[in-house]
Amino acid sequence: MMPPTSLSIWGWGSLGIVLFLITFGPFVIFYLTFYILCFVGGGLVVTLLFGKTNSEKYLEQCEHSFLPPSSTGVPKCLEEMKREARTIKIDRRLTGANIIDEPLQQVIQFSLRDYVQYWYYTLSDDESFLLEIRQTLQNALIQFATRSKEIDWQPYFTTRIVDDFGTHLRVFRKAQQKITEKDDQVKGTAEDLVDTFFEVEVEMEKEVCRDLVCTSPKDEEGFLRDLCEVLLYLLLPPGDFQNKIMRYFVREILARGILLPLINQLSDPDYINQYVIWMIRDSNCNYEAFMNIIKLSDNIGELEAVRDKAAEELQYLRSLDTAGDDINTIKNQINSLLFVKKVCDSRIQRLQSGKEINTVKLAANFGKLCTVPLDSILVDNVALQFFMDYMQQTGGQAHLFFWMTVEGYRVTAQQQLEVLLSRQRDGKHQTNQTKGLLRAAAVGIYEQYLSEKASPRVTVDDYLVAKLADTLNHEDPTPEIFDDIQRKVYELMLRDERFYPSFRQNALYVRMLAELDMLKDPSFRGSDDGDGESFNGSPTGSINLSLDDLSNVSSDDSVQLHAYISDTGVCNDHGKTYALYAITVHRRNLNSEEMWKTYRRYSDFHDFHMRITEQFESLSSILKLPGKKTFNNMDRDFLEKRKKDLNAYLQLLLAPEMMKASPALAHYVYDFLENKAYSKGKGDFARKMDTFVNPLRNSMRNVSNAVKSLPDSLAEGMTKMSDNMGKMSERLGQDIKQSFFKVPPLIPKTDSDPEHRRVSAQLDDNVDDNIPLRVMLLLMDEVFDLKERNQWLRRNIKNLLQQLIRATYGDTINRKIVDHVDWMTSPEQVADSVKRFRDAFWPNGILAETIPCRDKSIRMRTRVAGKTKLLAIMPDELKHIIGAETTRKGILRVFEMFQHNQLNRRMVYVFLEGFLETLFPQYKFRELFNKLHSRSKQMQKYKQKLQTTQAPSLQKR
C-alpha cells in the first residue's frame, strides 16, 4: 500500500497535466519543442554573423600591421594578362632563297602541328607560345643557313666523306679478319662482329669509340639531346637560349622528332637495300650475276627465300592452261625456275652439313682444272701477279724480271728507232744520242742479270752470254739483241719443274683461276646426302653450268639453227644516228620449229666477234668481220653492202662444221641471237684500256709512247743505268725491284701500323692534289683490299690511274667533280632535298605512319636483288685490272657492311660529326665528341690495356 505523500504527488501532477491539455490543446508539446529549437538556432546565427564580421576586421588590421607591402609586378602582370593578346609578326624568310624557304616553312608547320599542338591545345588556347617556338626555330635555321653559305663544301664532299667511308670499310674488313682468325670452323654471329668492329674502331681512332651511341637506345637519345643543346647554344640568340622551357621544347622536337627518326631510317639495312636497287634501277638484272650471288651466298635465309619464291612461281606456271607458242615460253620458265631451286637446295644442304663452301678451297681438292698457258699468264695483268708471287717463293724471280725487262726494252727500242727514222726523214739527226741511250739500256740489262757480278744471276748457256757481250761491244744494239736469251729463259720457266709445272699444282694457280673467273662452283650429283659432288673447270666461266641446265638447245645434229639479216634501218638515239639490223632466226629440232626476230647494231656484231675470237683463237683466222666505217646520212647502198657482208659472216659462223669444231661456241651464238637486249662484254673503252693496263707488252708500249717526247725514259725496270735516264723508268724500276728483291720501300716507315690508321693518313706517297686520283685510290685500296695484293700490281694500278687521269681526263673529271659538288649545294638541289624529306615524313601533309616491318622473306629477297644489281653494274674493265674474284669479294664486302644496323648508325654519326666540324671550324667539336663518347666501354677497356702494357716499360726505366 502506497504512502499518503506519494499519492498526493501523483494526484496533483496528473491534475496539472489534464488541466494543461484542456487549456492549450493536445498539440502544445510540438509547438513548445519548435519554439525552443527556433530560439537556439537564432542565437547561433546571430553569434556567427557577429564573429565573422569582427574576424575580418581583425585579420585586415593584422595584415597591414605585420606583412610587407606587395610588389607592383604582380598587379601589372595580371593587368597585362587581362588585355587582348597582341599578334606576333613572323618573317618567313629563312635562307634568302624562296625556293628553299617554302618547303622549310612547311616542315616547321608540320612539326609544330604533330609534335606540339596536339597536346598544347588541351592545356591552353593561347597562340603566343606556339608562335614563340616557331620564331625560335626560324632563328636557328637562319643562323644555320648563314653559316652554310660561308663554308667551302668541296673538301668535305670530295675528301672528308671519302676518308670516313674508307676508314669505316677498313674497320669492318679488319673486324671480319679478326673473326676469321679466332676460329675458322665456327662462323661468328652478328653480335660478335659488332663487338669486334668497335674493338677495332677504338684501336684505330685511339681517342673515341661510338659503341654506346650505336648499341644503346637510351645513350643514343642522350647523345642527341646533348648535341642539339650545343647546336641551339650556337644558333639561338642568348635571350632565347636562356629560356629553359623553350629550349627544352625545341631540343626534344629536333632530337626525338626529326633526327632520331631520320637516323633510324638511314641505318635500316632493308631501307639501304631498297635504295641501292632504286639507285641502279635503270640497269637490267644480269642472269650471270644472279646465279653467282646464289652460289656464293652463305646466308640460309636468302637461299630459302629465293627457293620458296621459285616454288611459288613454279606452282603458278604449272596451273596455267596454255597452248600453242605460249607453252614453249612457259616450259623455258619452268626449266629456269627448277634450276634455280636446285642450286638453292644444293647450297642450303652444303651450308647445313658444315662442308666447305669456299670455291677456291674446293677447287684445290680436285684435279680437273683448266690449263692456262704460260704465254697467256705473262701477258695478263691479273694472272701475272700470282705467277710473280710464286716465282718469288721459289727464288726464280730474277728470270721473270729479266723476261719482263727485255720485253719492255724491245718495245721501247722499236718505238725509239721509229722516232729516229722519222726524224732522219725530217732532216733531224740525233743518231749518236739515241744509240747511246739504247746501248746504255742494253748494257744495264746485261750487268744486272747476266754478268758475273749480277746477283741474283740468270742462268743460261755461257756461249749465249758471250755472244751477247761481243755484240754489245762491236755492234749497235737492236730491239732483238736479247731475243735468244729471252727465249731460253722462257723455255726454262716453262719446262723447269720448279717454275711453271709446279705453279700449276700450287694453290696460287687455283686462286689465279678464280680471279680470271675460270672456276665453277661444285654441284651436287648423286646421293641426297651430298656425297659424290664433282668439280669441273671451264675457261668460259661459271655461267656455263647455268646455261647447260637452262638452255633447251644443244650442239647435236638434232638442232638446226639458221639466221639471216632480213632488213636494215636507221635509228636515232640521243642525237646519235646508227644503223640497225633485223636478224630473222629459225631453230628446228625433231619435234618443233621456232622463229623470232632480234635487232643488233654493228657494235654488237663487233663485240660478239671480239668475244669469240678471244675465247677461240682458231676462229680469228677463219671469221672475218667487215671493218667499221664512218659514213654520213646512212647511205642506202652502204647499208645493203654491209647487210650482205654480215649475212656472209652469219652463214660462216652457223656452218655445221664450225659448230662441231667448237662445241662451246654454241652458247655464245645462242646468247647473241636470242630475242633480248644484247649484253656486251668489253666495251670500246675497255678494249682500248686493255693496251693501257697490260703490265708487259702493252704497258711497255705506253711507256714507249712517252719516248717520242721524252727520249730519256726508255729501259723501264732498270736500276743500274746512266744518269741521264728518265725519272719514270727509275721509279717504276724501283717499284718492280722492291716487289721482288725486298728493297726498302720508298715510303718512310712510321711507328704505327698503317692498317691501324685512318685511310687519309696514307695519301702522302707521291699523290698530288688531284681529287679524282685521291678518290679512286681510296676506294680501290679499301673496297678491293689491294694493299694485301702484290705491291707491283698495286703500284701498277696507281701508275695507271695517274697516267689516265693526268694525260686524258684529269682536268675534265676534276672539273666535273667540282661542278657536281656545286650542283649538290645549289639552292635547287637543297630545296629538292628538303621536299623529299618533307614528303617522306609528311606524305600529302599528313604525318607518315610507322612503316610496318616487312616480312623476313621479302627482306631476304631484297638483299639478293641488291647484291645482284651491284655485281651486274661492275664494268668488265675493272675485273680485267684487279681480277673477277677480287671484284666480287670487294662488292660483297661493301654490301655486307650495310647489313648491320649498329654499324650503319656508326657511319651516319661519323658523317654527322664531320659535317658539324666543317660547319663550325672555329669551335672544338672534335674534343666535344670525344667527351660525349667518353663513357664507351670499349674505350675504357682500351685505356686499361694501354696502362697494362705501359706499366712494365715504366718499371724498367
Side-chain angles (χ1 to χ4, degrees):
M1 185 172 183
M2 296 177 63
T5 306
S6 299
L7 287 174
S8 61
I9 294 172
W10 282 103
W12 284 107
S14 300
L15 180 61
I17 293 171
V18 170
L19 292 174
F20 181 81
L21 291 174
I22 294 172
T23 304
F24 297 101
F27 299 101
V28 65
I29 298 176
F30 297 102
Y31 292 140
L32 181 62
T33 304
F34 174 73
Y35 294 150
I36 294 172
L37 290 176
C38 289
F39 175 79
V40 174
L44 291 175
V45 170
V46 172
T47 304
L48 288 174
L49 291 174
F50 178 79
K52 180 177 181 296
T53 302
N54 290 338
S55 297
E56 288 178 351
K57 292 180 179 180
Y58 180 76
L59 288 175
E60 185 177 357
Q61 292 177 358
C62 291
E63 180 181 359
H64 291 290
S65 300
F66 304 105
L67 296 179
S70 61
S71 63
T72 58
V74 175
K76 187 175 182 180
C77 181
L78 295 175
E79 183 180 356
E80 290 289 338
M81 294 177 64
K82 292 178 182 179
R83 294 182 182 178
E84 184 178 358
R86 295 174 299 176
T87 58
I88 301 177
K89 295 182 179 180
I90 297 180
D91 190 353
R92 300 183 65 85
R93 293 175 297 178
L94 298 174
T95 64
N98 185 58
I99 191 175
I100 303 177
D101 294 346
E102 182 178 354
L104 265 182
Q105 287 289 353
Q106 291 179 343
V107 170
I108 295 175
Q109 178 182 352
F110 294 154
S111 300
L112 293 176
R113 181 195 66 189
D114 296 324
Y115 294 112
V116 178
Q117 290 180 3
Y118 81 95
W119 58 264
Y120 176 75
Y121 282 140
T122 62
L123 303 177
S124 173
D125 56 357
D126 187 8
E127 298 284 345
S128 60
F129 177 74
L130 299 176
L131 295 176
E132 290 290 348
I133 290 184
R134 188 186 188 103
Q135 185 65 50
T136 301
L137 288 174
Q138 291 194 175
N139 291 336
L141 289 173
I142 291 172
Q143 292 296 325
F144 179 83
T146 303
R147 186 62 194 161
S148 299
K149 295 176 183 177
E150 301 172 357
I151 300 299
D152 180 14
W153 291 105
Q154 291 182 10
Y156 173 74
F157 286 107
T158 59
T159 304
R160 178 64 185 264
I161 282 185
V162 178
D163 178 35
D164 289 338
F165 178 80
T167 303
H168 184 84
L169 182 59
R170 173 178 292 182
V171 175
F172 179 75
R173 174 172 54 81
K174 291 184 69 64
Q176 282 186 321
Q177 293 174 355
K178 270 195 170 184
I179 293 291
T180 305
E181 292 171 359
K182 286 180 180 179
D183 196 339
D184 292 336
Q185 302 298 326
V186 180
K187 185 181 178 192
T189 62
E191 292 77 10
D192 295 335
L193 180 62
V194 171
D195 293 339
T196 307
F197 178 91
F198 288 110
E199 289 179 9
V200 178
E201 181 194 19
V202 72
E203 293 175 359
M204 185 172 293
E205 297 283 355
K206 309 295 184 186
E207 298 177 351
V208 65
C209 184
R210 303 169 182 84
D211 56 337
L212 278 183
V213 174
C214 299
T215 58
S216 172
K218 182 179 179 181
D219 290 298
E220 182 180 21
E221 292 180 6
F223 172 81
L224 290 177
R225 288 192 183 99
D226 294 339
L227 183 60
C228 289
E229 192 148 355
V230 172
L231 292 177
L232 292 177
Y233 173 77
L234 297 176
L235 298 175
L236 290 180
D240 291 341
F241 182 79
Q242 295 301 328
N243 188 337
K244 290 186 177 180
I245 297 178
M246 190 75 65
R247 185 172 79 236
Y248 290 161
F249 271 119
V250 176
R251 183 192 70 182
E252 291 299 315
I253 292 174
L254 291 177
R256 293 181 57 85
I258 297 178
L259 287 180
L260 189 58
L262 181 61
I263 293 173
N264 289 336
Q265 186 176 28
L266 294 178
S267 58
D268 181 18
D270 189 51
Y271 172 80
I272 296 176
N273 296 339
Q274 295 179 64
Y275 188 74
V276 168
I277 296 174
W278 178 83
M279 286 287 291
I280 51 181
R281 61 191 179 278
D282 295 333
S283 64
N284 296 324
C285 279
N286 186 292
Y287 167 75
E288 180 181 2
F290 173 71
M291 294 311 304
N292 280 333
I293 292 300
I294 296 298
K295 295 173 184 178
L296 295 174
S297 176
D298 57 356
N299 189 312
I300 295 180
E302 292 179 358
L303 298 170
E304 290 178 343
V306 174
R307 182 194 61 187
D308 295 343
K309 189 63 177 178
E312 180 182 339
E313 292 295 325
L314 278 171
Q315 185 177 2
Y316 170 75
L317 290 175
R318 287 168 174 166
S319 66
L320 295 178
D321 184 13
T322 57
D325 296 337
D326 292 341
I327 193 169
N328 294 324
T329 303
I330 293 178
K331 284 183 178 180
N332 291 337
Q333 294 177 356
I334 290 176
N335 290 335
S336 300
L337 292 171
L338 285 173
F339 176 71
V340 171
K341 187 173 180 294
K342 173 185 174 183
V343 173
C344 292
D345 288 333
S346 300
R347 189 70 177 174
I348 292 172
Q349 183 179 1
R350 180 169 287 276
L351 289 170
Q352 291 177 341
S353 63
K355 293 185 177 182
E356 183 60 62
I357 60 174
N358 188 291
T359 305
V360 177
K361 292 182 179 179
L362 276 172
N365 299 326
F366 293 88
K368 295 181 180 180
L369 299 175
C370 58
T371 301
V372 181
L374 179 59
D375 55 352
S376 299
I377 293 176
L378 292 176
V379 297
D380 186 89
N381 184 65
V382 177
L384 179 63
Q385 173 221 338
F386 293 96
F387 191 57
M388 278 183 180
D389 292 339
Y390 178 77
M391 294 294 283
Q392 186 174 358
Q393 293 176 6
T394 58
Q397 64 268 29
H399 298 80
L400 179 59
F401 190 41
F402 170 78
W403 192 95
M404 293 170 59
T405 306
V406 170
E407 191 72 14
Y409 168 82
R410 179 192 300 106
V411 176
T412 307
Q414 289 174 351
Q415 185 66 54
Q416 184 66 19
L417 291 177
E418 291 177 3
V419 174
L420 176 62
L421 291 176
S422 64
R423 289 180 177 178
Q424 288 178 347
R425 286 193 295 266
D426 296 338
K428 301 178 181 179
H429 300 283
Q430 291 184 348
T431 306
N432 294 332
Q433 180 182 2
T434 302
K435 291 182 178 180
L437 291 174
L438 290 175
R439 184 179 299 279
V443 171
I445 296 175
Y446 173 81
E447 291 180 351
Q448 184 172 353
Y449 298 105
L450 302 173
S451 67
E452 295 181 356
K453 298 179 181 180
S455 177
R457 186 169 183 261
V458 176
T459 56
V460 292
D461 296 337
D462 293 338
Y463 79 91
L464 291 175
V465 177
K467 179 181 177 181
L468 174 63
D470 183 69
T471 303
L472 289 174
N473 291 329
H474 300 92
E475 300 178 12
D476 292 334
T478 63
E480 298 81 15
I481 192 172
F482 293 100
D483 281 5
D484 293 337
I485 298 180
Q486 187 189 28
R487 192 177 300 110
K488 285 291 183 181
V489 171
Y490 176 83
E491 292 178 358
L492 178 67
M493 292 190 297
L494 178 64
R495 306 188 186 284
D496 195 316
E497 288 295 331
R498 297 174 298 167
F499 303 139
Y500 177 70
S502 298
F503 173 63
R504 289 186 54 194
Q505 308 300 323
N506 194 276
L508 287 172
Y509 183 78
V510 182
R511 290 177 54 193
M512 181 195 74
L513 294 179
E515 292 292 354
L516 296 175
D517 207 13
M518 300 172 72
L519 287 180
K520 284 184 181 179
D521 285 338
S523 59
F524 287 96
R525 306 181 188 277
S527 59
D528 294 335
D529 59 357
D531 295 334
E533 60 267 19
S534 62
F535 184 87
N536 291 320
S538 171
T540 56
S542 59
I543 187 62
N544 287 344
L545 175 63
S546 306
L547 290 175
D548 290 340
D549 286 84
L550 287 178
S551 179
N552 289 330
V553 297
S554 62
S555 58
D556 57 21
D557 296 335
S558 61
V559 177
Q560 297 179 1
L561 195 66
H562 178 64
Y564 62 93
I565 298 177
S566 56
D567 195 9
T568 59
V570 178
C571 295
N572 187 289
D573 184 19
H574 299 289
K576 295 183 179 180
T577 304
Y578 57 87
L580 195 66
Y581 303 93
I583 305 174
T584 301
V585 185
H586 293 269
R587 184 174 63 188
R588 299 184 182 90
N589 55 29
L590 297 177
N591 300 322
S592 63
E593 178 180 351
E594 295 182 72
M595 185 190 73
W596 67 86
K597 281 190 176 183
T598 187
Y599 298 88
R600 296 289 181 259
R601 298 173 54 178
Y602 174 80
S603 59
D604 298 333
F605 277 96
H606 182 265
D607 181 88
F608 169 72
H609 179 75
M610 294 294 291
R611 182 182 294 187
I612 61 175
T613 52
E614 286 177 359
Q615 291 291 340
F616 310 96
E617 295 181 359
S618 60
L619 299 180
S620 58
S621 59
I622 303 175
L623 289 174
K624 299 298 182 182
L625 185 70
K628 186 175 183 180
K629 181 180 178 181
T630 303
F631 55 95
N632 296 324
N633 299 325
M634 292 297 175
D635 185 13
R636 196 68 195 176
D637 294 336
F638 175 84
L639 291 179
E640 289 298 328
K641 185 178 183 303
R642 175 60 60 83
K643 172 184 174 182
K644 181 179 179 181
D645 294 339
L646 291 178
N647 270 325
Y649 177 84
L650 287 174
Q651 299 309 315
L652 181 60
L653 178 68
L654 297 175
E657 296 79 7
M658 185 76 70
M659 290 294 186
K660 290 180 180 180
S662 303
L665 177 64
H667 294 299
Y668 293 90
V669 175
Y670 296 143
D671 181 67
F672 179 72
L673 296 178
E674 191 174 350
N675 187 17
K676 65 176 183 178
Y678 179 62
S679 177
K680 291 186 178 182
K682 294 183 180 180
D684 294 337
F685 178 74
R687 299 191 184 283
K688 294 176 183 177
M689 285 289 294
D690 277 349
T691 60
F692 201 55
V693 301
N694 196 296
L696 298 175
R697 291 195 299 250
N698 299 326
S699 76
M700 298 303 178
R701 196 170 298 142
N702 286 325
V703 176
S704 66
N705 289 334
V707 176
K708 296 179 181 179
S709 58
L710 189 62
D712 59 346
S713 64
L714 53 113
E716 177 187 2
M718 300 296 300
T719 54
K720 297 179 180 179
M721 58 184 69
S722 56
D723 294 337
N724 62 344
M725 302 302 286
K727 294 182 179 180
M728 179 189 298
S729 298
E730 182 179 356
R731 174 167 46 84
L732 294 179
Q734 289 177 353
D735 291 344
I736 297 176
K737 186 175 181 180
Q738 176 186 338
S739 175
F740 285 108
F741 303 112
K742 300 299 182 181
V743 175
L746 298 177
I747 304 175
K749 290 184 178 181
T750 57
D751 295 335
S752 60
D753 182 7
E755 279 290 286
H756 287 83
R757 293 183 294 168
R758 293 184 63 86
V759 172
S760 59
Q762 295 176 296
L763 285 179
D764 55 352
D765 52 344
N766 300 327
V767 177
D768 55 17
D769 292 331
N770 197 308
I771 294 173
L773 181 60
R774 179 184 294 111
V775 173
M776 288 184 183
L777 288 176
L778 280 169
L779 296 183
M780 292 284 283
D781 272 356
E782 294 307 321
V783 173
F784 302 108
D785 196 14
L786 295 182
K787 292 179 292 300
E788 299 297 327
R789 308 288 294 274
N790 187 291
Q791 287 300 309
W792 178 87
L793 173 68
R794 182 173 181 263
R795 293 181 184 277
N796 189 42
I797 293 174
K798 190 184 78 171
N799 292 332
L800 161 68
L801 294 174
Q802 287 175 331
Q803 294 176 35
L804 176 65
I805 293 173
R806 292 171 181 168
T808 56
Y809 305 106
D811 295 337
T812 303
I813 296 177
N814 203 28
R815 185 167 55 253
K816 284 186 176 181
I817 290 179
V818 173
D819 293 343
H820 186 70
V821 172
D822 292 338
W823 174 77
M824 289 172 57
T825 55
S826 64
E828 292 78 13
Q829 286 305 307
V830 173
D832 185 64
S833 301
V834 175
K835 290 178 181 177
R836 283 183 292 179
F837 174 81
R838 177 200 62 193
D839 295 338
F841 279 80
W842 293 278
N844 298 321
I846 302 174
L847 182 64
E849 298 180 357
T850 303
I851 300 177
C853 185
R854 300 203 308 166
D855 184 72
K856 180 181 178 181
S857 61
I858 299 178
R859 288 186 281 116
M860 290 295 105
R861 289 197 293 272
T862 305
R863 286 182 53 161
V864 174
K867 287 192 284 187
T868 303
K869 285 276 192 178
L870 284 176
L871 201 60
I873 65 171
M874 286 298 104
D876 285 340
E877 44 264 54
L878 183 62
K879 299 178 183 178
H880 299 152
I881 294 175
I882 63 176
E885 185 71 12
T886 300
T887 303
R888 278 194 293 265
K889 286 184 177 179
I891 295 302
L892 295 180
R893 180 186 298 116
V894 173
F895 186 86
E896 181 63 26
M897 180 184 70
F898 287 114
Q899 305 311 307
H900 303 274
N901 186 286
Q902 298 92 335
L903 307 190
N904 294 338
R905 302 185 95 83
R906 188 260 179 193
M907 188 163 58
V908 172
Y909 282 117
V910 168
F911 289 161
L912 178 61
E913 292 172 10
F915 176 81
L916 294 177
E917 290 177 23
T918 304
L919 186 63
F920 302 101
Q922 71 274 28
Y923 300 107
K924 299 179 180 179
F925 262 93
R926 170 51 50 197
E927 297 180 5
L928 172 66
F929 289 129
N930 291 345
K931 292 180 180 178
L932 293 178
H933 296 301
S934 60
R935 295 190 301 109
S936 166
K937 297 179 181 179
Q938 295 291 350
M939 195 70 203
Q940 295 173 3
K941 292 180 181 178
Y942 179 72
K943 290 181 178 179
Q944 293 176 358
K945 182 180 178 180
L946 284 181
Q947 294 176 356
T948 304
T949 54
Q950 292 176 357
S953 59
L954 294 176
Q955 292 177 358
K956 291 181 180 179
R957 294 180 182 178

